[in-house]
Amino acid sequence: MTLHSSHWGAFEAVETAAGLEVRPDPTDPNPADALLRNVPAMLDERVRVLVPHVRRGFLERGAGPDERRGHDDFVPVGWEQALSLAARELDRVRTAFGNASIFGGSYGWGSAGRFHHAQSQVHRFLNVLGGYTRSVETYSLGAARPLLRRIVGNDDPIMRSTSLSVLAEHTELFVCFGGIPAKNAQVNAGGVTRHATVGHLRRARERGARFVLVSPLRDDLVADLDAEWITPVPGTDTALMFGLAHTLVRNGLHDGDFLRTHCAGFDEWWSYLDGRTDGVVRDAAWASRICAVPEERIVALAREMAAHRTMITLSWSLQRARYGEQPLWTGVALACVLGQIGLPGGGVGHGYGAMAGIGGPRAEGPLPTLPQGFNTVTDFIPVARIADMLLHPGDGFDFDGARLRYPDIRLVYWAGGNPFHHHQDLARLRRAFARPETVIVHEQFWTATARHADIVFPASTTLERDDLGCARESDALIAMPRVTEPRGEARSDFAIFRALAEELGVGKEFDEGRDEWEWLEHLYESWRAALAEGGDPGLDFAGFWAKGRIDLPRVSRDRVLYADFRADPVAHPLPTPSGRIEIASATIASFGYDDCPGHPTWLEPEFLAEPPGTGPFPLFLVANNPATRLHSQLDHGAGSADAKVAGREPVRMHPADAAARGLAAGDVVLVESRVGSVLAGLVPSDDVAPGVVQLSTGAWFDPSAPDVATCVHGNPNAVTTDIGTSRLAQGCTGQLSRVEVRKAPAPLPSVRAFVPPVRIPGDDALRAKPE
Ligand SMILES: Nc1nc2c(c(=O)[nH]1)N[C@H]1C(S)=C(S)[C@@H](COP(=O)(O)OP(=O)(O)OC[C@H]3O[C@@H](n4cnc5c(=O)[nH]c(N)nc54)[C@H](O)[C@@H]3O)O[C@H]1N2
Ligand SMILES: Nc1nc2c(c(=O)[nH]1)N[C@H]1C(S)=C(S)[C@@H](COP(=O)(O)OP(=O)(O)OC[C@H]3O[C@@H](n4cnc5c(=O)[nH]c(N)nc54)[C@H](O)[C@@H]3O)O[C@H]1N2
Ligand SMILES: [Mo]
């Protein structure tokens, strides 16, 4: 057995005659079993890209905008031909249109591993070529990071939130907006050595802490925490928090001292909350009319929060919706009103449970890191504006106080991400992907993104290459030795870029004369040299590799967010203009955005324009992150496949809503929104609030029967809306939309997502549909 690592934890693996055997790391207290069950599917040759491929239309007609992109079949070609085609396109485009016409944002999680990090590799390669248009921010925290930079100066409420170990000891009341989902705490970008989130919460419960879950899904907190479950109308948390804050202040339960000494702009916000600005008093009664939580319940919860050591937890999902800046800003403001910020177990945290590492140990020193070089192109987009950019070159847009312009993209390069999983309104993204002249993708599998490329290079998986794994939200560096040989003719992203760089005459600049093994040694040894004195692990690279796992130095544990700032806000100011928490921000106000004014504001999102339960789309769709896989990765794996219903992604809805529509468990249903439709398999469940349906992200997009549905397999982004959170952050808003659900009309089209778009005479058996 060889120790290896992944975004969902370390594991042991060995290849046997019966296939890949995978066991959880024996030192992990709570391994991610469902996700580990997907790992053997990494080697499934029926779904792998095994050799380089070129889209038939591209091969026959050459580069250019093409509506057939994503509809065409693919022709297998030799490495030499694929490399020279790709090199020629890169050279043509940068010469004719300049490097800004190459989009290399390449958003996506790729695989764990510090060297074979696809996004770092593609950025390094394109920088050597003279640069590229990049993307900034993430789908995870699109609204959060730009907002937090303005109101607290950085992302400390996420990355340095009070440790779960401290909450386990001190918190009396957890008020969890969006929950602390155990399903998400399975995962951490770059890896996780000990899954500890749920254990800490259970310790708090055993000590007597009470949990209040504010969420459309009951399983956003594990059942044995005995949480009280409150189900506001999705997307109305801001209103609910206004009601809580107003109740606290009206009853003198607020901390006036903290608001005066540690916060800026409370009076301005209070004028708005109490109706002096516009005559609308935003109290518990007002909130109740919007969020549908009874007024008495809001008042009682506010009183209980003031009477106890209270931690307000805000999930990342809250900000992944239209006006997503507001629930986060309001949650921080509500914690300021309570005044427990900086106390052990009190205050506010953003994203407990969103990843295993949030609130866990944190490596404070350097990490082994592949240098990406320098990008001389200054053009960029906020990451979720990809379709706007491709569809509207030259148009202006707002972002964080700046007025910017979409560059004219001619070539798109993607490695390590799946925009046809992660982006909203996928029918629109298909139209956008028809615009560039050339699309080049490195993929391990025939994902929808690979199918929308012109040139597809087969990438090896982490099992087929040597790497080192670690994450900042963790405490160990793990050797990731290869477990098996590359499948087909797959190569690492590094090897592909190295060959392209050589073809383009910049081989030396790209690889600096090192092969893969020499790079690993170089990353390790330069990391050692950068460690502060006393941190050296005392092992050279060979020693580390033989040992397999070493502790990272300078790991912080048992943190209390803002303890110093609380003790002395003058000596330890926040990096904001006022040095305080900005409940109102003069900077944001100065931008003049009506979709993100200068203090927390109730803005009614488009999806609330029609009252819940009414109109052509009466239901709320929650498109959250999946329990049985990481995004779209290994959707064909056993852990993911076992949860499917009639081969489609499970969609959950309350039994009463199902009955009202004459739907039964196991039915294939059509979920329709204003922008598209998707087939899914029905699972009635009273863990879902009435009026809500839940369809997780990640089923491979399958547009093979457009007359029936935009996607016949269950990707919710067939029905989500492609609009930014606001002009401040332009974040992803995929979490919430409005839909109707009905029985899918017969005959049902088969799911073709896992059938490669390739015909090789005599090779049909290899490419048959996996069971
Ligand atoms: N509606 C809605 N949409 C969402 C979300 C939501 O909540 N609702 N969540 C959003 C969030 S938070 C995120 S982070 C995104 C995630 O979106 P992505 O990060 O794009 O999703 P992944 O499925 O992880 O895509 C990674 C791809 O990289 C490939 N890959 C893995 N390793 C390698 C490698 O070494 N080399 C190469 N070349 N390829 C590799 C995998 O096969 C996979 O296709 O989705 C977003 N989309
Ligand atoms: N197993 C697994 N774990 C993952 C991932 C994965 O793909 N698979 N993805 C990882 C990534 S990239 C990220 S960014 C994080 C995402 O972390 P989050 O964004 O927090 O995760 P989600 O599952 O999208 O949403 C959490 C819960 O929020 C609730 N929710 C949705 N809308 C509302 C609302 O309006 N109000 C309230 N109160 N609650 C609401 C939903 O019930 C949902 O289950 O997860 C990470 N962890
Ligand atoms: Mo994410």
Side-chain angles (χ1 to χ4, degrees):
M1 283 276 180
T2 308
L3 186 69
H4 204 75
S5 186
S6 70
H7 292 308
W8 47 91
F11 59 87
E12 297 177 335
V14 68
E15 202 177 20
T16 69
L20 190 80
E21 215 179 285
V22 174
R23 278 189 225 144
D25 172 12
T27 68
D28 189 334
N30 188 15
D33 294 323
L35 276 68
L36 285 172
R37 288 186 59 219
N38 293 334
V39 170
M42 280 188 195
L43 303 176
D44 190 338
E45 299 195 11
R46 293 167 301 184
V47 198
R48 286 284 295 265
V49 181
L50 292 170
V51 301
H53 282 79
V54 179
R55 184 170 67 81
R56 187 175 299 281
F58 187 88
L59 207 55
E60 288 170 358
R61 292 185 299 280
D66 195 343
E67 301 283 338
R68 287 206 47 76
R69 202 170 274 130
H71 302 263
D72 245 346
D73 67 331
F74 282 79
V75 180
V77 299
W79 272 100
E80 211 175 307
Q81 188 183 357
L83 287 167
S84 90
L85 262 179
R88 217 170 59 210
E89 277 308 293
L90 283 160
D91 202 39
R92 180 184 70 79
V93 168
R94 72 169 166 164
T95 309
F97 306 104
N99 280 72
S101 63
I102 300 175
F103 181 66
S106 193
Y107 182 81
W109 270 51
S111 292
R114 300 293 294 180
F115 176 65
H116 295 291
H117 182 241
Q119 216 183 95
S120 303
Q121 292 283 353
V122 68
H123 293 166
R124 180 180 167 83
F125 168 72
L126 292 174
N127 281 336
V128 162
L129 274 193
Y132 61 97
T133 291
R134 68 192 200 281
S135 59
V136 300
E137 305 301 339
T138 61
Y139 280 75
S140 316
L141 290 160
R145 283 217 165 91
L147 177 79
L148 289 175
R149 279 200 298 270
R150 298 292 176 194
I151 68 167
V152 293
N154 55 32
D155 65 6
D156 282 358
I158 306 167
M159 303 317 287
R160 289 172 195 282
S161 51
T162 300
S163 301
L164 286 159
S165 54
V166 174
L167 308 193
E169 292 273 317
H170 295 277
T171 305
E172 294 168 348
L173 176 65
F174 289 82
V175 182
C176 307
F177 293 90
I180 303 181
K183 69 178 175 65
N184 292 2
Q186 299 178 100
V187 162
N188 198 73
V192 41
T193 35
R194 295 174 56 80
H195 290 87
T197 306
V198 174
H200 285 304
L201 299 180
R202 288 193 170 128
R203 265 193 296 289
R205 176 70 196 135
E206 281 155 22
R207 187 179 39 75
R210 200 173 92 80
F211 287 81
V212 176
L213 169 65
V214 184
S215 179
L217 303 181
R218 197 202 306 267
D219 36 26
D220 282 334
L221 272 183
V222 289
D224 53 8
L225 299 176
D226 308 317
E228 177 190 349
W229 184 29
I230 296 179
T231 58
V233 172
T236 66
D237 301 81
T238 300
L240 172 57
M241 292 186 225
F242 279 12
L244 292 168
H246 193 278
T247 304
L248 289 170
V249 178
R250 263 285 152 261
N251 292 287
L253 298 171
H254 61 300
D255 187 335
D257 287 341
F258 189 83
L259 289 169
R260 260 189 307 279
T261 52
H262 290 71
C263 307
F266 172 70
D267 292 343
E268 186 184 334
W269 188 47
W270 178 248
S271 293
Y272 165 79
L273 267 191
D274 202 34
R276 264 170 278 159
T277 317
D278 59 5
V280 180
V281 181
R282 294 169 176 89
D283 57 9
W286 169 88
S288 176
R289 286 193 294 276
I290 293 172
C291 70
V293 176
E295 179 186 348
E296 316 76 67
R297 188 67 209 90
I298 300 174
V299 171
L301 181 58
R303 291 183 177 282
E304 188 185 358
M305 288 168 80
H308 291 95
R309 181 62 56 86
T310 299
M311 174 52 74
I312 300 167
T313 75
L314 310 168
S315 67
W316 294 351
S317 58
L318 298 179
Q319 51 86 59
R320 202 175 303 111
R322 185 74 167 138
Y323 309 132
E325 294 82 3
Q326 302 308 319
L328 175 55
W329 200 350
T330 311
V332 171
L334 175 61
C336 290
V337 170
L338 269 183
Q340 299 186 21
I341 288 174
L343 294 176
V348 61
H350 187 30
Y352 289 115
M355 293 200 305
I358 303 300
R362 181 184 157 91
E364 302 288 357
L367 299 177
T369 302
L370 179 71
Q372 295 187 8
F374 184 70
N375 189 355
T376 51
V377 172
T378 52
D379 299 65
F380 69 89
I381 55 162
V383 68
R385 299 278 54 80
I386 167 90
D388 287 355
M389 171 186 74
L390 295 175
L391 289 167
H392 302 292
D395 276 14
F397 66 97
D398 291 299
F399 175 63
D400 198 19
R403 185 75 189 160
L404 301 165
R405 212 158 272 293
Y406 291 122
D408 186 0
I409 297 300
R410 306 292 172 133
L411 186 150
V412 171
Y413 210 120
W414 225 292
N418 188 359
F420 283 88
H421 153 260
H422 67 232
H423 196 58
Q424 287 57 64
D425 194 350
L426 290 175
R428 182 169 188 255
L429 187 67
R430 297 192 96 191
R431 294 195 293 279
F433 260 68
R435 302 296 294 267
E437 293 171 14
T438 311
V439 178
I440 308 176
V441 167
H442 299 188
E443 249 300 346
Q444 302 160 336
F445 302 98
W446 279 110
T447 62
T449 299
R451 291 162 202 253
H452 283 79
D454 299 317
I455 303 171
V456 185
F457 287 109
S460 56
T461 68
T462 133
L463 298 173
E464 299 152 54
R465 58 200 189 202
D466 296 316
D467 210 337
L468 15 119
C470 66
R472 185 158 296 293
E473 309 82 32
S474 191
D475 53 9
L477 179 67
I478 295 182
M480 299 168 61
R482 72 159 69 184
V483 175
T484 181
E485 291 307 305
R487 291 305 188 256
E489 295 176 18
R491 298 184 185 177
S492 70
D493 297 287
F494 170 81
I496 300 166
F497 286 128
R498 190 190 205 189
L500 278 175
E502 244 155 55
E503 192 105 8
L504 287 157
V506 288
K508 194 97 203 110
E509 287 82 347
F510 178 72
D511 70 13
E512 296 177 22
R514 294 184 196 97
D515 65 17
E516 298 192 13
W517 187 253
E518 288 163 339
W519 265 107
L520 295 185
E521 177 160 21
H522 173 69
L523 292 190
Y524 178 85
E525 292 298 348
S526 36
W527 166 69
R528 263 182 86 193
L531 289 171
E533 228 164 297
D536 187 71
L539 285 174
D540 64 6
F541 180 64
F544 155 69
W545 199 259
K547 192 155 183 238
R549 176 196 329 230
I550 57 174
D551 292 337
L552 290 170
R554 291 194 55 216
V555 171
S556 76
R557 299 170 202 271
D558 307 324
R559 292 175 308 269
V560 175
L561 176 70
Y562 297 143
D564 291 349
F565 167 67
R566 181 183 185 89
D568 188 342
V570 177
H572 303 285
L574 300 188
T576 56
S578 61
R580 301 174 180 192
I581 300 173
E582 306 224 328
I583 294 179
S585 161
T587 313
I588 294 178
S590 75
F591 300 154
Y593 298 150
D594 54 359
D595 53 4
C596 188
H599 57 70
T601 303
W602 170 247
L603 303 165
E604 188 181 85
E606 293 78 357
F607 64 74
L608 283 172
E610 285 173 328
T614 69
F617 305 109
L619 301 165
F620 288 84
L621 174 69
V622 170
N624 61 353
N625 282 269
T628 56
R629 59 184 173 258
L630 172 67
H631 313 134
S632 69
Q633 297 196 30
L634 305 174
D635 186 26
H636 56 292
S640 181
D642 283 356
K644 306 249 173 190
V645 175
R648 332 253 162 183
E649 189 65 11
V651 58
R652 295 195 299 170
M653 82 193 301
H654 194 274
D657 289 326
R661 288 165 176 77
L663 300 173
D667 281 351
V668 174
V669 294
L670 184 73
V671 181
E672 270 180 300
S673 77
R674 199 172 46 76
V675 307
S677 59
V678 57
L679 296 185
L682 187 72
V683 179
S685 166
D686 58 15
D687 288 338
V688 179
V692 171
V693 295
Q694 178 239 331
L695 177 61
S696 291
T697 61
W700 283 14
F701 180 56
D702 185 343
S704 61
D707 295 342
V708 179
T710 317
C711 170
V712 302
H713 180 210
N715 186 320
N717 281 321
V719 303
T720 55
T721 307
D722 185 7
I723 184 171
T725 51
S726 80
R727 285 186 281 164
L728 182 82
Q730 296 283 10
C732 162
T733 60
Q735 185 79 198
L736 295 175
S737 19
R738 287 290 285 271
V739 297
E740 179 56 293
V741 178
R742 60 188 169 93
K743 198 161 165 132
L748 291 172
S750 62
V751 174
R752 303 193 53 82
F754 303 119
V755 184
V758 199
R759 285 258 125 239
I760 302 178
D763 196 18
D764 286 356
L766 182 69
R767 277 145 205 289
K769 190 179 162 216
E771 293 315 314

